[in-house]
Amino acid sequence: MGIYEELVARGLIAQVTNESEIREMINSGKATFYIGFDCTADSLTAGHFMALTLMKRLQMAGNKPVALIGGGTTMIGDPSGRTDMRKMLTKEDIDHNAECFKRQMERFIEFGEGKAKMVNNADWLLNLNYVDLLREVGACFSVNNMLRAECYKQRMEKGLSFLEFNYMIMQSYDFYYLYQHYGCNMQFGGDDQWSNMLGGTELIRRKLGKDAHAMTITLLTDSQGKKMGKTAGNAVWLDANKTSPYEFFQYWRNVADSDVLKCIRMLTFLPLEQIDEMDKWEGSELNKAKEILAYELTKLVHGEEEAEKALAAAKNIFAGGKDSADMPTVTLSEDDLGENGIGILDIMVKSGLCGSKSEARTLVTQGGVSVNEEKLTVPATFYTKEQLSAGLLIQKGKKKFIKVNI
């Protein structure tokens, strides 16, 4: 089985152009491909997993990845999958986020001479003359066709800004630039990016001729990756300071039964033969599959040692233990205390168990919170410095535990 056939078997392919050429190039290790990452936050999330592992798989098969940091496109904002306009970031914020992305990508992809490249589209997009761009690129795009694109259609009712309307042209120009300057002949992305990506393919064909089009191959991954990485309204980050290895492990340990084998197939590097055997699992065996998924992905992001710690902590809690040294811990300072100490609602927000005090209040009143193994139902409960010094074990629901001290 070639790498292209493996991608198909893992359920990673949604739509392709020039499939026979794609298969030959990928299987022979001749593809130079790019995936773009807009810098909308200071950490990648679990939703980026599919793209990162895909780049790793293809590099292992001899192909050359180009990781495109969207320092320029982030200043516009991708309207795909959005019902409102993205928050406008400053150039300083975007530059900081780009540096954070680079450090995290290096855990997955091997960069260096003759290996993967990392480039930032701010290097060419921010220097473009707008009138020159309109003349060189704008003439290649039909507004009628653009408005038929799904990424724009879903925004027309609520309003699509002219700023965002330019995103397709900017993304298409990226492929055009990478094709000319880096020999990049293939692009990957979520299937919600299909229209944008075809724009790049068409731009190269129109500007460089039919011969160039033969080497311009667009291939898409399934949009499942876009759906991953969020739980209870909060992102699951790859940065250990934002989502601890234990929390990361628990996120994947708690995926739905219907998703666990799909995630194992798409995201881990376990052999397909082993996964095919796991397809027969059902009932309690699915809990074992979830544990395997959580361990493999935590090891990939945070290393084997942290994965072992998270696994041990999870087993300890499942067995009824509540004193694991590897359980997430939040340390408060005396500045967090008021005259009466600190309330449970503030503790839950500061610890990241809840996104707001109103959410925490609802959980407490509904009996979804325990402190030191006792059910708590009074939202106005406060804890003193002495109580915090002894340590509090807070449980949210059945599976979320955190230690709080001062």
Side-chain angles (χ1 to χ4, degrees), residues 193-307:
Q193 294 285 314
W194 181 244
S195 298
N196 289 348
M197 298 173 73
L198 288 182
T201 303
E202 179 64 12
L203 177 61
I204 293 173
R205 185 189 70 81
R206 294 192 60 173
K207 297 297 293 183
L208 303 178
K210 293 183 178 180
D211 290 341
H213 179 252
M215 296 298 293
T216 307
I217 300 171
T218 307
L219 184 138
L220 271 68
T221 58
D222 187 271
S223 61
Q224 180 73 13
K226 299 284 185 178
K227 303 172 187 174
M228 297 175 183
K230 288 187 179 293
T231 178
N234 299 313
V236 178
W237 306 99
L238 304 194
D239 184 341
N241 294 318
K242 296 168 78 71
T243 298
S244 72
Y246 174 81
E247 292 171 315
F248 188 83
F249 180 98
Q250 284 297 101
Y251 169 73
W252 296 106
R253 173 62 181 79
N254 294 325
V255 299
D257 289 356
S258 58
D259 290 336
V260 59
L261 268 300
K262 183 176 183 179
C263 289
I264 288 176
R265 191 175 295 276
M266 297 173 83
L267 303 177
T268 76
F269 287 81
L270 296 176
L272 282 170
E273 295 78 10
Q274 180 180 346
I275 300 172
D276 289 340
E277 286 298 313
M278 295 168 67
D279 270 334
K280 304 171 186 175
W281 291 4
E282 55 186 25
S284 61
E285 290 178 310
L286 290 177
N287 288 327
K288 177 63 176 177
K290 293 178 184 181
E291 192 174 275
I292 291 171
L293 171 67
Y295 179 84
E296 290 295 324
L297 297 189
T298 305
K299 181 173 69 172
L300 192 61
V301 174
H302 298 293
E304 187 170 3
E305 182 179 352
E306 291 296 336

Side-chain angles (χ1 to χ4, degrees), residues 3-286:
I3 183 63
Y4 180 80
E5 287 73 23
E6 181 179 345
L7 296 181
V8 172
R10 289 185 179 273
L12 291 168
I13 306 301
Q15 303 179 70
V16 301
T17 64
N18 308 74
E19 184 172 30
S20 61
E21 293 175 74
I22 290 172
R23 180 185 292 106
E24 191 280 326
M25 291 184 70
I26 288 179
N27 285 345
S28 60
K30 296 177 181 177
T32 298
F33 66 95
Y34 94 91
I35 299 180
F37 300 82
D38 278 351
C39 317
T40 53
D42 60 0
S43 172
L44 296 165
T45 73
H48 292 105
F49 241 132
M50 192 174 298
L52 294 169
T53 56
L54 185 65
M55 295 177 89
K56 184 178 178 72
R57 291 185 209 279
L58 290 170
Q59 185 175 45
M60 291 169 64
N63 299 285
K64 294 183 179 179
V66 177
L68 177 63
I69 301 295
T73 42
T74 305
M75 299 190 76
I76 299 173
D78 183 3
S80 301
R82 302 284 299 186
T83 58
D84 56 1
M85 186 169 160
R86 293 181 186 273
K87 177 185 175 183
M88 296 281 283
L89 300 177
T90 66
K91 187 176 184 303
E92 291 71 25
D93 288 338
I94 293 171
D95 289 344
H96 169 73
N97 294 346
E99 286 301 316
C100 295
F101 277 24
K102 288 179 183 179
R103 291 193 296 269
Q104 293 176 350
M105 286 181 185
E106 287 171 349
R107 303 178 198 162
F108 294 83
I109 307 158
E110 191 174 359
F111 294 96
E113 188 66 31
K115 299 175 183 175
K117 293 182 182 293
M118 186 175 292
V119 296
N120 190 327
N121 63 17
D123 294 341
W124 56 85
L125 292 182
L126 299 189
N127 295 324
L128 288 173
N129 178 285
Y130 189 60
V131 174
D132 289 343
L133 178 69
L134 289 176
R135 289 177 62 85
E136 182 181 5
V137 178
C140 299
F141 286 81
S142 162
V143 171
N144 291 348
N145 289 338
M146 292 174 72
L147 291 177
R148 281 194 289 267
E150 196 62 36
C151 60
Y152 291 147
K153 282 169 58 178
Q154 62 189 10
R155 288 291 305 282
M156 291 302 289
E157 290 186 9
K158 290 197 173 183
L160 175 71
S161 72
F162 184 71
L163 176 71
E164 297 170 290
F165 188 68
N166 282 269
Y167 191 89
M168 181 186 291
I169 294 176
M170 296 295 101
Q171 181 172 335
S172 299
Y173 189 86
D174 281 342
F175 195 16
Y176 176 56
Y177 186 94
L178 292 171
Y179 182 91
Q180 290 183 291
H181 294 84
Y182 293 93
C184 186
N185 49 37
M186 193 178 298
Q187 56 182 334
F188 284 75
D191 57 9
D192 59 344
Q193 294 285 314
W194 181 244
S195 298
N196 289 348
M197 298 173 73
L198 288 182
T201 303
E202 179 64 12
L203 177 61
I204 293 173
R205 185 189 70 81
R206 294 192 60 173
K207 297 297 293 183
L208 303 178
K210 293 183 178 180
D211 290 341
H213 179 252
M215 296 298 293
T216 307
I217 300 171
T218 307
L219 184 138
L220 271 68
T221 58
D222 187 271
S223 61
Q224 180 73 13
K226 299 284 185 178
K227 303 172 187 174
M228 297 175 183
K230 288 187 179 293
T231 178
N234 299 313
V236 178
W237 306 99
L238 304 194
D239 184 341
N241 294 318
K242 296 168 78 71
T243 298
S244 72
Y246 174 81
E247 292 171 315
F248 188 83
F249 180 98
Q250 284 297 101
Y251 169 73
W252 296 106
R253 173 62 181 79
N254 294 325
V255 299
D257 289 356
S258 58
D259 290 336
V260 59
L261 268 300
K262 183 176 183 179
C263 289
I264 288 176
R265 191 175 295 276
M266 297 173 83
L267 303 177
T268 76
F269 287 81
L270 296 176
L272 282 170
E273 295 78 10
Q274 180 180 346
I275 300 172
D276 289 340
E277 286 298 313
M278 295 168 67
D279 270 334
K280 304 171 186 175
W281 291 4
E282 55 186 25
S284 61
E285 290 178 310
L286 290 177

Side-chain angles (χ1 to χ4, degrees), residues 280-383:
K280 304 171 186 175
W281 291 4
E282 55 186 25
S284 61
E285 290 178 310
L286 290 177
N287 288 327
K288 177 63 176 177
K290 293 178 184 181
E291 192 174 275
I292 291 171
L293 171 67
Y295 179 84
E296 290 295 324
L297 297 189
T298 305
K299 181 173 69 172
L300 192 61
V301 174
H302 298 293
E304 187 170 3
E305 182 179 352
E306 291 296 336
E308 291 288 348
K309 288 180 181 179
L311 176 61
K315 287 185 174 180
N316 179 284
I317 292 172
F318 184 76
K322 301 293 189 295
D323 192 31
S324 171
D326 299 313
M327 189 183 298
T329 299
V330 172
T331 302
L332 303 176
S333 72
E334 291 193 31
D335 292 338
D336 294 315
L337 306 183
E339 183 177 346
N340 298 320
I342 183 171
I344 183 61
L345 305 185
D346 287 313
I347 291 175
M348 294 184 70
V349 172
K350 289 180 180 293
S351 66
L353 284 172
C354 290
S356 67
K357 290 176 70 170
S358 61
E359 179 189 346
R361 181 179 291 104
T362 300
L363 275 170
V364 171
T365 56
Q366 292 179 349
V369 177
S370 296
V371 178
N372 292 340
E373 300 187 68
E374 292 187 7
K375 188 75 70 177
L376 187 68
T377 56
V378 180
T381 302
F382 277 73
Y383 296 92

